[in-house]
């Protein structure tokens, strides 16, 4: 990987062992030429393996004998332009401890300098304009080094040797504060005033690594409410930034794994249960995450964040991507000033340009281990899998939570989270990211195999086709989900039972799938062997907006249905209208979506309004279920290759009519879904002589369902595999597409 201080490390190691030679970033990775004594060479190889820098990981070391060239010094050779570049660019790194110490040392020349960094830390992917990774190909190219920085940059023994974004107060960019037409100059004064604004309840736009954030005091209910109003974000939870780990511990209950995620070099937003109220627990306004037992928390990762807190900003900040509703994060200054002028009271603007937008990542410690729910800053554009094959592949993902995957020389690079392609800005970001990765890895487009979803109406499909390239193929959505798990593990031959529980996806029979069970593997392809019993879906994918509209089709199959427009259900008119559409067979589709079944259950339990973000009704149902103890399990039988939802919904209706507590109903419902799936996979594993089950798809973001499945499958001789490196939601689709296309098993 470039930019993680590896060449300087090699340099120091060679010198320490009195070896002559050179190191350079070559065609297939780092090339090192060494001359010296045998013990010196052996010590070098040993130290290379055991002492490499924190952000560098060595995939493989190959050693060949060479003739001595009579060298008497060790040098770092400049990168050479080659025909092919497989050396990867590093994701962005959080500010390191050594730099933090300097940041707050009044005697250090970089005291309070908001862009302090070194070879072990700082921006990478968000400043790179092209490869090879040198100062001239970063957004720092307009700031020539002064004598002080140049000295460090050129000294192989220094921590800043060839640290491309190195800078200081004298020679580098700074921050300034903009308030309407007024500008406060000077980083320190700007940051001090910005912290004051936050304390006063204002909303601040802050330029960070991969884009702008909108920040406010998380304990100030008024500030949080006006953030919701101005952002047009009704209920979706906001993320928080805690001043330090101690504050984070007061906000949320962190497992050991969750804490490792929180402090990892990716510094993601970590979802964890809210800490119980008590002494010392900081107040967070309930509007931050309404009706939710979890909070999303991250730690400061740029020097600027640390400076803001040190300048007295509230210890818990609401920090959300600077955008309006579903638009992508703003990252260019003019665009941010333009788009955010109605939202932010002030702008804290950094002068260093951002090369590309990269959102914060989101992760959690799940029932089956750590899982990434949004893969972006700190992870992208890292390689997540080795997919064998010589042909470069571009997989364009799905339309929601889009990511793209580029396979080059057998390595699968997954892009940062791009967003929902229905939004014009996101679509632009999608096109830019494709161009960006293709040019960064110097792929000739005509060589590419392009893979898209089999949905003929997806925007991503249209774009893939519009590229006009010769080799284009499609992959069914839910097969891609299952393949993404196997791709992460490099399991190409393995036969598994693959479960994809999801919101939506275009099926082989042109209906809307989302409750699918397959048997097969990446190399041989997947056969659909079972699924949720079909229901009608009035309005197709548009029904995802309205749980009662989704409910109509499922409920149409229930015998002696009570009047759902009356109490306790009180379904609004839309329910009748959906029923009429179905009766006339207008805009009515067939679906096997578990996501829509969750919507139907949520509707019966009182979620009868429109959802304001994807998956909201299912999240609401999970939260409701978590409020009650487990008492019983509703039947969700697996009969003749179908999971039958009718008995499940019948129980929900009759218990609701009896006035049973809604949390208990939601709990029994979850357990029922888990029990039904358990019965299905156990039966299929027995029939097919298989012992590995893969779970993927957006529904498996439901941790309660996973916890139930885990406990129900514990006694079985079955191993469960889930996503860890890419999300189980549609953010993982592009990796699965690439894997299936690589083996031409797209059916
Ligand atoms: Zn550092
Ligand atoms: Zn300088």
């Amino acid at each position: 990987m470039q930019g993680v201080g590896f060449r300087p490390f090699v340099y120091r190691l060679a010198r320490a062992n009195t070896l002559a030679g050179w190191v350079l970033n070559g065609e297939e990775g780092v090339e090192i030429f060494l001359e010296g004594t045998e013990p010196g060479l052996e010590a070098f190889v040993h130290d290379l393996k055991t002492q490499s820098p924190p952000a560098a990981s060595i995939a493989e070391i190959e050693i060949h004998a060479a003739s001595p060239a009579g060298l008497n010094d060790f040098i770092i050779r400049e990168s050479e332009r080659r025909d092919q570049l497989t050396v990867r660019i590093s994701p962005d790194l959080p500010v390191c401890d050594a730099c933090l110490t300097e940041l707050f040392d009044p005697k250090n020349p970089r005291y309070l300098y908001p862009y302090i960094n070194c070879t072990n830390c700082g921006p990478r992917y968000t400043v790179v304009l092209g490869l090879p990774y040198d100062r001239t190909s970063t957004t720092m190219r307009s700031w020539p080094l002064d004598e002080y920085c140049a000295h460090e940059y050129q000294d192989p023994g220094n921590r800043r040797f060839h640290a491309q974004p190195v800078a200081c107060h004298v020679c580098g960019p700074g921050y300034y504060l903009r308030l309407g037409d007024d500008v406060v100059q000077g980083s320190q004064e700007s940051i001090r005033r910005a912290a004051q604004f936050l304390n006063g309840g204002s909303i601040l736009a802050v330029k960070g690594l991969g884009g702008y954030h909108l920040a406010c005091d998380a304990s100030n209910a008024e500030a949080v409410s006006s953030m919701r109003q101005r952002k047009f974000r009704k209920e979706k939870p906001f993320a928080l930034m805690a001043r330090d780990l101690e504050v984070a511990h007061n906000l949320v209950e962190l497992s050991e794994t969750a804490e490792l995620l929180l402090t990892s070099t990716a510094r993601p937003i970590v979802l964890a249960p809210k800490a119980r109220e008590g002494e010392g627990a900081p107040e967070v306004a309930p509007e931050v995450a309404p009706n939710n037992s979890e909070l999303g928390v991250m730690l400061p990762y740029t020097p600027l964040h640390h400076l803001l807190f040190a300048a007295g900003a509230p210890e818990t900040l609401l920090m959300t991507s600077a955008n309006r509703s579903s638009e992508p994060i703003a990252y260019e200054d003019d665009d941010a000033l333009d788009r955010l002028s109605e939202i932010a009271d002030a702008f804290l603007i950094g002068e260093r340009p951002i090369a590309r937008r990269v959102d914060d990542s989101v992760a959690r410690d799940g029932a089956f281990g750590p899982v990434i729910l949004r893969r972006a800053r700190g992870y992208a554009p890292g390689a997540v899998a080795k997919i064998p094959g010589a042909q470069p592949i571009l997989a364009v993902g799905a339309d929601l939570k889009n990511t793209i995957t580029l396979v080059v020389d057998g390595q699968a690079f997954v892009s940062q989270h791009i967003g929902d392609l229905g939004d014009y800005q996101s679509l632009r970001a999608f096109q830019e990211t494709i161009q960006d990765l293709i040019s960064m890895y110097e792929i000739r487009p005509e060589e590419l195999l392009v893979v898209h979803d089999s949905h003929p109406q997806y925007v991503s499909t249209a774009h893939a086709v519009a590229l006009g390239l010769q080799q284009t193929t499609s992959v069914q959505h839910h097969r891609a989900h299952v393949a993404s798990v196997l791709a992460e593990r490099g399991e190409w031959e393995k036969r598994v039972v693959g479960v994809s529980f999801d919101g939506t996806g275009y099926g082989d029979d042109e209906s809307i799938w989302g409750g699918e069970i397959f048997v097969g593997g990446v190399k041989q392809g997947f056969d659909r062997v079972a699924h949720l019993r079909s229901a009608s879906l009035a309005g197709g994918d548009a029904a995802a907006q309205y749980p009662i509209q989704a409910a109509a089709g499922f409920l149409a199959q229930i015998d002696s249905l009570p009047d759902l427009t009356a109490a306790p259900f009180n379904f609004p008119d839309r329910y009748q209208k959906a029923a009429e559409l179905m009766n006339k067979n207008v805009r009515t589709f067939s679906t096997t979506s578990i996501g829509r079944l969750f919507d139907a259950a949520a509707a019966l339990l009182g979620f009868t309004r429109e959802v304001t973000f994807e998956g909201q009704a299912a999240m609401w149902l999970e939260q409701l279920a978590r409020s009650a103890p487990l008492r019983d399990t509703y039947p969700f039988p697996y009969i003749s290759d179908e999971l039958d939802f009718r008995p499940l919904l019948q129980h929900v209706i009759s218990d609701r009519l009896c006035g049973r507590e809604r949390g208990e109903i939601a709990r029994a419902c979850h357990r029922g879904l888990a029990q039904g799936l358990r019965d299905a996979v156990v039966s299929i594993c027995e029939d097919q002589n298989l012992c590995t089950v893969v779970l993927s798809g957006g529904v498996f973001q439901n941790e309660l369902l996973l916890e139930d499945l885990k406990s129900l499958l514990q006694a079985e001789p079955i191993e469960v595999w889930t996503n860890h490196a890419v999300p189980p939601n549609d953010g993982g689709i592009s990796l699965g597409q690439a894997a299936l296309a690589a083996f031409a098993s797209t059916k």
Side-chain angles (χ1 to χ4, degrees):
M1 224 177 257
Q2 292 195 22
V4 294
F6 194 73
R7 287 174 304 162
F9 159 71
V10 169
Y11 174 91
R12 288 193 287 273
L13 216 57
R15 290 255 167 138
N17 291 297
T18 54
L19 300 169
W22 45 260
V23 56
L24 70 82
N25 282 331
E27 201 173 334
E28 290 169 48
V30 175
E31 287 174 27
I32 306 168
F33 181 89
L34 291 169
E35 290 184 24
T37 63
E38 188 144 353
L41 290 166
E42 274 169 13
F44 177 92
V45 173
H46 174 264
D47 293 350
L48 190 69
K49 287 175 180 162
T50 54
Q51 294 172 16
S52 67
S57 74
I58 300 176
E60 205 178 347
I61 300 179
E62 263 183 54
I63 300 175
H64 303 282
S67 313
L71 303 175
N72 48 23
D73 200 2
F74 191 89
I75 56 162
I76 297 177
R77 278 187 21 195
E78 285 307 308
S79 316
E80 290 174 12
R81 294 285 299 173
R82 302 277 185 112
D83 291 329
Q84 262 195 324
L85 289 163
T86 55
V87 180
R88 293 167 284 166
I89 188 70
S90 160
D92 299 293
L93 297 166
V95 58
C96 73
D97 289 345
C99 284
L100 267 185
T101 306
E102 292 179 350
L103 183 64
F104 293 109
D105 174 6
K107 292 195 287 296
N108 191 281
R110 293 193 186 83
Y111 177 54
L112 305 185
Y113 180 57
Y115 285 121
I116 190 171
N117 67 83
C118 71
T119 47
N120 296 324
C121 76
R124 296 292 184 274
Y125 187 47
T126 54
V127 295
V128 173
L129 298 167
L131 287 175
Y133 179 59
D134 283 327
R135 177 90 168 186
T136 50
S137 53
T138 70
T139 60
M140 286 297 293
R141 61 185 171 186
S142 3
W143 285 276
L145 299 173
D146 66 347
E147 215 175 304
Y148 180 76
C149 287
H151 176 75
E152 291 190 317
Y153 182 86
Q154 284 152 14
D155 174 7
N158 194 285
R159 202 172 89 243
R160 295 201 170 85
F161 179 64
H162 285 195
Q164 305 306 345
V166 71
C168 73
H169 285 294
V170 176
C171 67
Y175 268 79
Y176 62 97
L177 187 71
R178 187 179 267 281
L179 306 145
D181 290 333
D182 293 337
V183 173
V184 178
Q185 295 289 354
S187 299
Q188 278 183 52
E189 181 57 14
S190 305
I191 292 166
R192 195 185 63 79
R193 290 276 294 276
Q196 261 175 12
F197 274 112
L198 291 167
N199 277 312
S202 295
I203 293 177
L204 183 72
V206 191
K207 189 168 173 183
L209 264 184
Y212 274 81
H213 279 117
L214 288 162
C216 73
D217 180 355
S219 67
N220 185 329
E222 219 172 293
V224 177
S225 299
S226 63
M227 181 80 88
R228 285 214 177 274
Q229 276 165 17
R230 296 189 206 172
K231 261 196 90 170
F232 301 115
R233 177 147 152 166
K234 288 184 187 150
E235 295 154 306
K236 194 176 180 186
F238 281 125
L240 303 172
M241 181 176 280
R243 187 185 60 204
D244 51 34
L245 191 56
E246 194 187 337
V247 174
H249 271 292
N250 290 331
L251 291 169
V252 285
E253 286 170 29
L254 290 170
S255 67
E256 205 175 308
T257 305
E259 187 172 324
L260 283 174
L261 282 170
L262 191 68
T263 55
S264 67
T265 54
R267 289 286 198 284
I269 296 166
V270 175
L271 303 181
K274 282 179 187 165
R276 275 192 206 95
E277 311 220 336
E279 280 184 39
E283 276 186 28
V284 169
E287 292 83 355
V288 167
N291 302 316
N292 203 309
S293 60
E294 287 188 326
L295 286 174
V297 180
M298 62 181 150
L299 292 175
Y301 52 88
T302 65
L304 179 81
H305 297 146
H306 290 276
L307 291 172
L308 263 177
F309 287 115
E315 64 178 14
T316 308
L317 290 174
L318 181 163
M319 282 282 242
T320 181
S321 300
N323 56 10
R324 283 192 180 193
S325 65
S326 65
E327 292 174 2
I329 186 168
Y331 74 109
E332 290 160 322
D333 300 336
D334 291 346
D335 178 52
L337 285 166
D338 185 40
R339 278 162 64 197
L340 308 174
S341 59
E342 315 263 286
I343 306 178
D345 300 308
F347 288 79
L348 186 56
I349 303 175
E351 290 170 330
R352 186 178 71 204
I354 297 171
R356 58 184 62 70
R357 54 165 64 85
V358 187
D359 266 292
D360 292 315
S361 296
V362 181
R364 70 146 45 104
D365 176 23
F368 292 94
V371 54
I372 296 173
L373 300 173
R374 182 166 78 198
R375 195 175 175 284
R377 178 189 47 76
Y379 297 113
V384 296
K386 286 192 169 186
I387 297 180
Q391 182 169 29
I393 298 173
L394 171 69
V396 299
D399 273 15
L400 296 179
K401 296 184 166 66
N402 178 272
T403 63
I404 63 161
T405 291
L406 184 68
V407 183
V408 191
D409 289 344
Q411 303 247 49
F413 301 95
V414 179
S415 79
Q416 67 273 34
H417 163 87
I418 294 167
D420 299 348
L421 301 187
D423 178 90
Y424 171 72
Q425 296 269 2
S426 303
L427 180 60
R428 253 190 56 203
F430 166 77
Q431 291 163 338
E432 284 166 8
T433 308
I434 290 176
Q435 282 314 317
D436 194 27
L437 281 179
I438 289 179
S439 64
M440 188 165 284
Y441 288 98
E442 302 191 326
I443 308 288
R444 287 202 302 273
E446 61 272 18
E447 288 174 38
L448 279 173
L449 170 61
V450 179
V451 202
H452 59 80
D453 194 276
S454 54
H455 200 313
Q457 262 126 41
Y458 262 5
V459 175
S460 52
T461 300
H463 186 75
V465 172
L467 288 173
L469 299 173
Q470 291 244 313
Q471 306 173 73
T472 303
T473 184
S474 71
V475 168
Q476 198 278 323
H477 192 94
H478 302 102
R479 291 183 175 92
H481 269 309
V482 173
S484 74
V485 174
L486 295 166
E488 278 186 27
R489 308 174 78 105
E491 295 278 4
W492 314 122
E493 316 266 346
K494 181 96 174 173
R495 279 185 86 231
V496 301
V497 175
V499 181
S500 185
F501 276 9
D502 202 24
T504 184
Y506 189 78
D508 295 351
D509 57 4
E510 301 182 7
S511 77
I512 298 169
W513 284 11
E516 316 308 316
I517 306 182
F518 303 96
V519 164
V522 174
K523 212 161 183 175
Q524 65 187 111
F526 294 103
D527 294 323
R528 187 197 198 204
V529 297
H531 54 83
L532 179 69
R533 180 185 171 84
S534 302
S536 294
L537 189 61
D541 283 344
Q545 280 300 113
Y546 300 96
I548 47 160
Q549 190 169 329
F554 288 90
L555 295 170
Q557 295 188 36
I558 306 293
D559 293 334
S560 49
L561 201 62
D563 179 7
L564 295 170
T565 61
F569 303 102
N570 300 318
F571 278 11
D573 289 349
R574 183 171 284 275
Y575 172 68
Q576 288 296 354
K577 289 195 183 124
E580 280 161 29
L581 280 183
M582 289 188 303
N583 288 337
K584 292 186 206 146
N585 202 19
V586 176
R587 291 207 313 277
T588 296
F589 301 79
S590 170
T591 191
T592 51
S593 162
I594 297 279
R596 298 295 80 80
L597 175 60
F598 265 92
D599 287 350
L604 288 170
L605 290 172
F607 199 110
T608 55
R609 59 208 164 91
E610 186 181 358
V611 301
T612 60
F613 60 92
E614 193 207 351
Q616 185 184 9
M619 268 174 71
W620 179 87
L621 193 71
E622 181 188 352
Q623 295 297 331
L624 189 61
R626 284 188 180 279
S627 70
L630 175 64
R631 295 200 196 286
D632 53 344
T633 305
Y634 291 155
F636 182 47
Y638 176 66
I639 307 162
S640 340
D641 308 335
E642 271 192 5
L643 281 159
D644 189 352
F645 57 80
R646 291 171 302 179
L648 184 90
L649 292 180
Q650 249 146 5
H651 275 75
V652 174
I653 292 166
S654 57
D655 277 3
R656 185 95 164 96
L657 284 170
C658 297
R660 188 175 186 195
E661 203 267 315
R662 291 184 309 160
E664 286 186 16
I665 299 177
R667 187 69 194 85
C669 205
H670 272 78
R671 191 68 170 193
L673 287 160
Q675 181 70 47
L677 179 54
R678 178 241 164 244
D679 294 346
V681 298
V682 167
S683 148
I684 296 166
C685 280
E686 277 170 9
D687 286 356
Q688 305 268 348
N689 198 21
L690 294 171
C691 57
T692 307
V693 172
V694 166
L695 308 175
S696 189
V699 169
F700 291 116
Q701 293 171 103
N702 184 323
E703 280 295 323
L704 186 58
L705 184 66
L706 287 177
E707 286 162 23
D708 277 354
L709 263 174
K710 190 176 176 177
S711 70
L712 291 169
L713 283 170
Q714 218 136 40
E716 307 296 331
I718 288 175
E719 203 181 346
V720 179
W721 289 356
T722 58
N723 289 105
H724 298 292
V726 297
N729 59 46
D730 285 3
I733 286 282
S734 62
L735 178 65
Q737 289 174 341
L740 286 168
F743 291 95
S745 37
T746 50
K747 286 285 174 302

